[in-house]
Amino acid sequence: SQTIHQWPATLVQPVGSPLSLECTVEGTSNPNLYWYRQAAGRGLQLLFYSIGIDQISSEVPQNLSASRPQDRQFILSSKKLLLSDSGFYLCAWSVRRVDEQFFGPGTRLTVL
Amino acid sequence: DAKTTQPPSMDCAEGRAANLPCNHSTISGNEYVYWYRQIHSQGPQYIIHGLKNNETNEMASLIITEDRKSSTLILPHATLRDTAVYYCIVGDGAGNMLTFGGGTRLMVKP
């Protein structure tokens, strides 16, 4: 069966510090991968999606970047965090683009 | 700039059907309607999706109007565990799911 992992589960970082969140998927090959952010009290916003290794599309201009160095690994990064980067970050995968997306447990990031 | 409009909250009695409406008047021909729900502090859970026809699975039914400008998610026998925020999203099937919007906070009461 397929599983999706995210870590860390929670993170508290000072403003201006770097960020690296990792997501890995097991049990499937060549998945579509997604990064979402949920700000407090708001809906989910798609940040990045990837259809293959080193193929990343960004949905919104922002302080963040994403990379996919391996087929089932998706990394969300920032060189300098802003207060507005605080939120709940979710990684998801799907088999086909039209299919349901399966979400990971999420990382709760607090930037102070 | 969510493409969908949902009521912010709804109540439903346990055991009764929960009917959650969604307006998506600007939906284009190649866009699907997806429903997810999110229980507090967890990742979203897929419920159902459809293009034109009504759909049913073990969790819910999705009724899409003929003009596709609105849809209704039906939970036939709501339980307390169905209390969650329900998101209606339109996506073009290219993986481009944009902002989910605020969703509907469904409260199932005993």
Side-chain angles (χ1 to χ4, degrees), chain A residues 29-47:
Chain A
S29 297
N30 195 32
N32 295 313
L33 296 172
Y34 313 84
W35 276 112
Y36 289 86
R37 175 172 58 202
Q38 185 173 36
R42 301 182 65 182
L44 291 172
Q45 181 184 34
L46 179 65
L47 302 175

Side-chain angles (χ1 to χ4, degrees), chain B residues 56-110:
Chain B
T56 296
N57 62 21
E58 66 278 4
M59 290 184 68
S61 295
L62 174 61
I63 308 298
I64 303 174
T65 58
E66 191 170 346
D67 63 7
R68 303 209 323 124
K69 292 185 177 181
S70 65
S71 61
T72 301
L73 178 75
I74 302 173
L75 307 178
H77 305 286
T79 70
L80 298 179
R81 289 179 296 177
D82 292 323
T83 292
V85 178
Y86 287 77
Y87 293 101
C88 169
I89 310 120
V90 294
D92 62 6
N96 300 341
M97 289 192 182
L98 304 179
T99 307
F100 275 34
T104 296
R105 186 171 299 276
L106 176 68
M107 180 72 70
V108 180
K109 298 182 176 180

Side-chain angles (χ1 to χ4, degrees), chain B residues 7-39:
Chain B
S9 64
M10 291 181 63
D11 290 343
C12 179
E14 187 179 18
R16 303 297 293 268
N19 298 287
L20 291 90
C22 179
N23 288 322
H24 31 79
S25 58
T26 60
I27 192 170
S28 58
N30 64 340
E31 288 185 316
Y32 292 76
V33 180
Y34 297 82
W35 282 84
Y36 284 77
R37 71 181 182 185
Q38 187 174 23
I39 297 170

Side-chain angles (χ1 to χ4, degrees), chain A residues 34 36 38 41-46 49 51 59 88 90 96-106 108, chain B residues 32 34 36 38 40-47 49 87 92-103:
Chain A
Y34 313 84
Y36 289 86
Q38 185 173 36
R42 301 182 65 182
L44 291 172
Q45 181 184 34
L46 179 65
Y49 74 95
I51 61 172
E59 286 298 305
F88 190 42
L90 288 154
R96 297 183 304 135
R97 292 172 179 176
V98 75
D99 284 347
E100 62 183 286
Q101 295 184 8
F102 299 92
F103 286 81
R108 191 162 300 281
Chain B
Y32 292 76
Y34 297 82
Y36 284 77
Q38 187 174 23
H40 182 62
S41 295
Q42 297 182 22
Q45 177 190 23
Y46 166 86
I47 301 173
H49 76 279
Y87 293 101
D92 62 6
N96 300 341
M97 289 192 182
L98 304 179
T99 307
F100 275 34

